[in-house]
Amino acid sequence: MTISLSAELWPDVQPDAARRLMLAGVESFARRGYHATTTRDIAGAAGMSPAALYVHFPSKAALLFAISKSGHQQTLDLVEDVAKRADDPKERMRRIVADFVAWHARRHTVARVVQYELQALPEQEYQVVADLRRRIEHLVRGVIEEGVAQGQFVVADVKTAARAVLSLGVDVARWYTERTGKTPKALGREYGDLALRMLGAQP
């Protein structure tokens, strides 16, 4: 990862040193896991002294929280953007899944940390992120409910269906690499069609 990528990932984070630490945290957490990573590991990967981390983040947990909150907010924003459109439920669901999957593929290293180190957050910070996750699920559930009401989707349980659809995208972060052979956009399109079939619609 590069400094320019850090600006792209976290444009609202200032100063640049804080973004460098977030990038270093992502790389370290993804490689070693949160609990096996030390603040010295993170600071070293960012080219800083261990004490420099505490200038911007009071703890390793605070750094993980900043990374996790940002990633969940980004995915909430993209789901909200599609969910509020005037398209029919089937088209909105296809686009939600396509964008959600593409984000998890394109940002797969960040997404692995965001999704799979969640339980390491302290309780208060965990609840903040959990609320973002609930809001994402609520939006997806709403689109499915519309589709069911209009006869476009056939599902036994809307809540379970929404979680299954979102799980498709989350899991991409676990296995996707640049060697996969498909671009994030192409993968997102395929997953969009798969999700519609899961919901009983013909894409």
Side-chain angles (χ1 to χ4, degrees):
M1 292 187 181
T2 64
I3 292 176
S4 62
L5 178 56
S6 72
E8 181 183 341
L9 281 169
W10 302 294
D12 298 331
V13 174
Q14 294 292 338
D16 180 66
R19 291 199 300 256
R20 285 167 53 199
L21 286 164
M22 289 176 73
L23 270 177
V26 165
E27 292 173 341
S28 298
F29 296 151
R31 183 166 56 251
R32 299 182 179 90
Y34 173 80
H35 293 292
T37 297
T38 66
T39 54
R40 184 177 295 275
D41 294 329
I42 297 165
M48 301 179 189
S49 68
L53 185 145
Y54 298 106
V55 173
H56 304 285
F57 300 97
S59 65
K60 183 176 72 167
L63 177 61
L64 176 63
F65 176 56
I67 293 165
S68 187
K69 182 182 177 183
S70 174
H72 280 89
Q73 185 63 58
Q74 288 178 36
T75 53
L76 173 61
D77 290 345
L78 68 86
V79 171
E80 281 182 331
D81 181 61
V82 179
K84 68 185 180 183
R85 296 183 184 183
D87 302 324
D88 67 19
K90 188 168 73 171
E91 184 55 36
R92 274 182 286 151
M93 183 55 59
R94 185 207 310 269
R95 181 63 184 273
I96 285 172
V97 173
D99 289 356
F100 193 75
V101 166
W103 188 90
H104 281 78
R106 187 170 59 252
R107 305 294 185 217
H108 56 90
T109 304
V110 175
R112 277 200 304 276
V113 173
V114 165
Q115 297 292 354
Y116 294 107
E117 296 292 349
L118 189 63
Q119 297 301 322
L121 289 170
E123 183 60 27
Q124 185 174 351
E125 287 79 359
Y126 175 85
Q127 290 303 326
V128 172
V129 175
D131 180 64
L132 294 173
R133 293 170 74 90
R134 282 191 292 268
R135 290 167 64 186
I136 294 169
E137 184 181 321
H138 178 75
L139 287 166
V140 172
R141 195 161 65 234
V143 176
I144 295 174
E145 287 171 346
E146 285 186 53
V148 170
Q150 295 181 22
Q152 294 188 351
F153 301 147
V154 179
V155 299
D157 183 272
V158 171
K159 187 174 182 179
T160 300
R163 289 179 173 175
V165 165
L166 289 169
S167 294
L168 287 174
V170 169
D171 191 59
V172 165
R174 180 182 57 80
W175 57 263
Y176 187 89
T177 71
E178 285 72 16
R179 298 181 180 181
T180 300
K182 289 186 179 179
T183 66
K185 186 175 181 179
L187 189 67
R189 285 197 299 266
E190 287 189 22
Y191 269 59
D193 289 342
L194 286 171
L196 292 183
R197 292 190 178 95
M198 281 176 54
L199 298 172
Q202 290 300 316

